[in-house]
Amino acid sequence: MAGSLFRKKSIALILKDAEEGLDEGKHDVHLKKVLTVRDLTFLGIAAVIGTGVFTAIGTASFHGGPAVILLFIFTAIACGFAAYCYAEFASTVPVSGSAYTYSYVAFGEIFAWIIGWDLLMEYAIGNIAVAISWSQYFVGVVKRCGINIPEWATMDYASAHTGFNAATDALSNHQSLSSLDTTVQYSYQAWLNAPTIGGFRIIMDIPALFIVIIITAVVYVGIRESRTANNIMVLTKLIIILFVIFAGAFYIKPGNWSNFMPNGFKGVMSGVSAVFFAYIGFDAISTTAEECKNPQRDLPKAMFNTLFICTALYVILVIVLTGMTHYSKLNVADPLAFVFESQNSKMTNIFAGVISASAVIVIASVLLVYQLGQPRIWMSMSRDGLLPKIFSRIHPKYKTPSFSTVLTGFVVGIPALFLNLDVVIALTSIGTLFAFVLVCGGVLVLQNQKDKPESKFKVPYLNGKYIVPIFMLITTILVYIKVPGYYSSLLHKEGVPMLVFFAVAIIISIYTFLKNFSLIPVLGLLSCFYLMAQESHTNWWRFVIWLLVGLVIYFTYGNRNSKLADK
């Protein structure tokens, strides 16, 4: 049994399966190879710059102040290390499975299943968050046009209930409804006016379901159509962001930057989920490997293009936003539009309206990339026998994974009606970081394989034998000296993730010294695991429960039906 859990799929077999065809043994059915490095870069930008810019960047700035640019830079560096590792795998194993396939090669089947199941959560939950965020902007845009959608049809049940309770408490203390936060007012009205069936209030986010249906239809029709739609949306996105930067520069008040780190380093790091959510996406383009004209060359280029462009735009945007409006006012659903509205002029109100209207298009592009990615993970797992064959069915006309695409629409659309945005963002971040950790670890394994095919991109080898252990030792001592009581503060439930991080870091440091591990993958693994450790213990519990559910499915179906079981 133990041997079957760690059975590996050779790179030669993976490439052979992809060449022979994807659809239940039909050798003449393949995905269309139409994507170039420009298309892949646009897909990356589409996935990365979306909800992170139009929603999460405000929350992160609220907690960290202008100093949140440090978190954006640190996160970009961590993602950069991971990007190196993704690039080597994508160039070595140019198929649609992304981190799932890479883990199959490096660690074996059980890890492949775990990361595949994790990726399904990442893409599904990520798209639920994007759909909810899109809905918020859409409701605001149509309201400016004089169309009022009932509040109960534009939000989730839990948020409405929480807002209603908060408003009721305030009203009982003789506060007026108009004096409350607009979000609380909105939630109160949603709960109050919602239709009921058998005493149960009907509250759901209908616009979120609507956009999922539209995007799923585009993805279903074909990769060429998806590429064209995405390129148009990304060009619109870049124009809007550059407009915000240049127009906003005229309204900057340097005094807003005076308190650079208002809540200390802890405040900066509290925005990890929001900031990392803003970077999720560059890895998603690896799921389109079998639709690239030259994946071994173009995928690595596109990943690095995406990170460089997006990091520069994020840092400049934070500087502009926190310069235009005090950081304490940025915890809003639409920070880019809000900073212009807060200038209280007719011209800036027009700017805000244009930005909100454009966000409806821009955020939809993120949804498109993830709706492309998730079906291709289903497809790859099905091709290996870990899921039923229907998941790898390819449409004879459109050349897309038809069943998986439709299923993805249901998996994203239905929960988007009911889930809360904050919880969804946190789950997406921890799932993606876990994938990054395994990919970085996988490169360490891959570099020691003697029979691997030649890759057009390799992670530069820098011996971490002394650098990693010394760095960890110095860091540990500095934390002990500079932050008295830090280690003792970890001895409670919220500190458990950091204790796990330190244990993993010590083990990795020892192995790096003994095995001469490459520096970049090790730094990628440690930095991503550190970001994971910043998540709350409740978020870790949700993540672990999701993985346990996946393991039940694996042991009841995947392990017995795996194609490697026959061998």
Side-chain angles (χ1 to χ4, degrees):
M1 178 64 177
S4 70
L5 297 181
F6 298 101
R7 54 197 176 202
K8 297 181 180 180
K9 194 171 184 182
S10 69
I11 295 175
L13 180 58
I14 290 172
L15 298 176
K16 178 174 176 289
D17 287 348
E19 181 65 28
E20 288 182 348
L22 308 176
D23 191 0
E24 302 178 24
K26 299 176 184 177
H27 292 212
D28 59 339
V29 181
H30 295 83
L31 302 178
K32 292 180 180 178
K33 293 183 177 291
V34 299
L35 300 177
T36 64
V37 67
R38 184 194 66 181
D39 299 324
L40 292 167
T41 301
F42 273 37
L43 284 170
I45 294 173
V48 173
I49 297 183
T51 307
V53 160
F54 287 91
T55 301
I57 199 170
T59 303
S61 298
F62 170 77
H63 290 293
V68 80
I69 62 171
L70 301 177
L71 181 55
F72 273 98
I73 293 170
F74 175 71
T75 305
I77 293 171
C79 289
F81 292 141
Y84 266 109
C85 300
Y86 265 95
E88 176 163 341
F89 264 121
S91 186
T92 306
V93 195
V95 295
S96 294
S98 186
Y100 157 75
T101 302
Y102 308 157
S103 296
Y104 218 148
V105 170
F107 300 114
E109 188 169 281
I110 185 64
F111 282 99
W113 171 268
I114 289 172
I115 200 61
W117 188 249
D118 169 64
L119 287 174
L120 295 179
M121 181 190 75
E122 174 196 336
Y123 291 148
I125 299 293
N127 252 358
I128 292 167
V130 174
I132 295 170
S133 181
W134 182 92
S135 173
Q136 293 174 345
Y137 271 92
F138 177 76
V139 170
V141 170
V142 298
K143 187 175 182 179
R144 283 189 174 93
C145 297
I147 303 172
N148 290 311
I149 303 175
E151 294 90 346
W152 60 267
T154 63
M155 67 188 314
D156 65 282
Y157 185 94
S159 295
H161 187 246
T162 301
F164 176 79
N165 288 339
T168 301
D169 291 342
L171 292 172
S172 66
N173 291 323
H174 308 294
Q175 288 182 257
S176 65
L177 186 63
S178 59
S179 68
L180 302 180
D181 183 81
T182 53
T183 303
V184 174
Q185 293 182 44
Y186 197 83
S187 301
Y188 178 79
Q189 295 296 340
W191 185 267
L192 206 61
N193 300 324
T196 59
I197 297 179
F200 182 82
R201 295 179 185 273
I202 307 301
I203 301 174
M204 61 183 68
D205 197 339
I206 294 176
L209 174 63
F210 171 76
I211 189 59
V212 171
I213 292 172
I214 296 296
I215 294 298
T216 301
V218 173
V219 173
Y220 184 87
V221 168
I223 187 65
R224 186 175 284 112
E225 291 75 12
S226 301
R227 175 196 63 183
T228 302
N230 179 73
N231 289 351
I232 293 170
M233 289 188 283
V234 168
L235 287 173
T236 304
K237 175 185 300 189
L238 293 177
I239 290 170
I240 291 300
I241 290 174
L242 292 175
F243 170 78
V244 170
I245 290 171
F246 287 112
F250 292 98
Y251 298 93
I252 287 176
K253 303 176 185 68
N256 288 330
W257 296 325
S258 59
N259 195 355
F260 184 70
M261 194 182 290
N263 299 314
F265 184 71
K266 185 177 181 180
V268 172
M269 293 307 297
S270 68
V272 164
S273 286
V275 170
F276 191 78
F277 184 76
Y279 275 99
I280 292 173
F282 78 87
D283 59 312
I285 61 178
S286 62
T287 63
T288 64
E290 291 175 39
E291 289 147 297
C292 303
K293 290 182 177 179
N294 191 343
Q296 292 181 302
R297 181 198 66 188
D298 292 347
L299 280 171
K301 285 184 178 180
M303 289 180 188
F304 289 112
N305 289 347
T306 298
L307 276 180
F308 288 141
I309 293 170
C310 295
T311 300
L313 291 176
Y314 277 147
V315 170
I316 296 171
L317 268 174
V318 170
I319 293 172
V320 171
L321 294 185
T322 55
M324 291 178 68
T325 302
H326 196 262
Y327 74 91
S328 61
K329 300 178 182 178
L330 290 175
N331 192 21
V332 294
D334 52 350
L336 267 64
F338 173 78
V339 293
F340 282 99
E341 287 179 343
S342 65
Q343 305 306 313
N344 298 316
S345 73
K346 185 176 180 181
M347 182 61 70
T348 54
N349 285 338
I350 293 174
F351 289 166
V354 172
I355 292 167
S356 291
S358 303
V360 172
I361 299 173
V362 170
I363 296 177
S365 68
V366 185
L367 199 63
L368 186 145
V369 177
Y370 285 130
Q371 290 299 89
L372 273 174
Q374 188 177 349
R376 284 149 182 80
I377 301 295
W378 293 112
M379 179 187 71
S380 296
M381 297 175 76
S382 172
R383 182 167 59 196
D384 293 330
L386 302 185
L387 289 174
K389 292 181 179 180
I390 192 173
F391 285 86
S392 60
R393 179 175 297 164
I394 305 299
H395 195 283
K397 178 181 178 181
Y398 300 129
K399 309 298 183 185
T400 57
S402 52
F403 176 81
S404 294
T405 299
V406 173
L407 180 63
T408 297
F410 280 101
V411 168
V412 173
I414 302 303
L417 285 169
F418 308 109
L419 289 184
N420 176 272
L421 182 61
D422 293 335
V423 172
V424 168
I425 287 178
L427 271 175
T428 305
S429 297
I430 195 170
T432 306
L433 283 165
F434 183 63
F436 285 7
V437 167
L438 283 188
V439 170
C440 292
V443 165
L444 295 174
V445 175
L446 190 69
Q447 288 179 339
N448 292 320
Q449 287 187 356
K450 296 179 180 180
D451 58 343
K452 71 168 185 171
E454 278 301 312
S455 171
K456 293 185 179 180
F457 181 90
K458 291 184 179 181
V459 176
Y461 178 79
L462 299 170
N463 194 338
K465 183 179 182 70
Y466 299 108
I467 297 175
V468 173
I470 292 173
F471 174 77
M472 282 302 305
L473 181 62
I474 292 174
T475 302
T476 303
I477 293 173
L478 284 176
V479 170
Y480 180 79
I481 295 172
K482 297 291 184 180
V483 191
Y486 175 76
Y487 293 111
S488 61
S489 70
L490 299 180
L491 302 177
H492 57 84
K493 58 185 179 182
E494 281 296 347
V496 171
M498 275 305 298
L499 289 175
V500 174
F501 165 76
F502 279 116
V504 170
I506 291 170
I507 294 171
I508 293 297
S509 298
I510 293 171
Y511 268 92
T512 301
F513 181 79
L514 296 175
K515 302 289 186 180
N516 297 319
F517 281 166
S518 178
L519 181 62
I520 291 177
V522 170
L523 291 179
L525 189 156
L526 292 177
S527 58
C528 290
F529 205 104
Y530 175 77
L531 290 175
M532 279 185 75
Q534 301 306 304
E535 300 285 356
S536 68
H537 78 283
T538 54
N539 202 29
W540 272 84
W541 273 118
R542 294 188 191 106
F543 178 61
V544 169
I545 290 170
W546 173 261
L547 294 185
L548 290 176
V549 170
L551 288 175
V552 170
I553 296 174
Y554 172 74
F555 284 112
T556 56
Y557 182 88
N559 182 262
R560 290 180 298 166
N561 291 278
S562 168
K563 287 188 176 180
L564 292 188
D566 298 334
K567 301 180 184 304

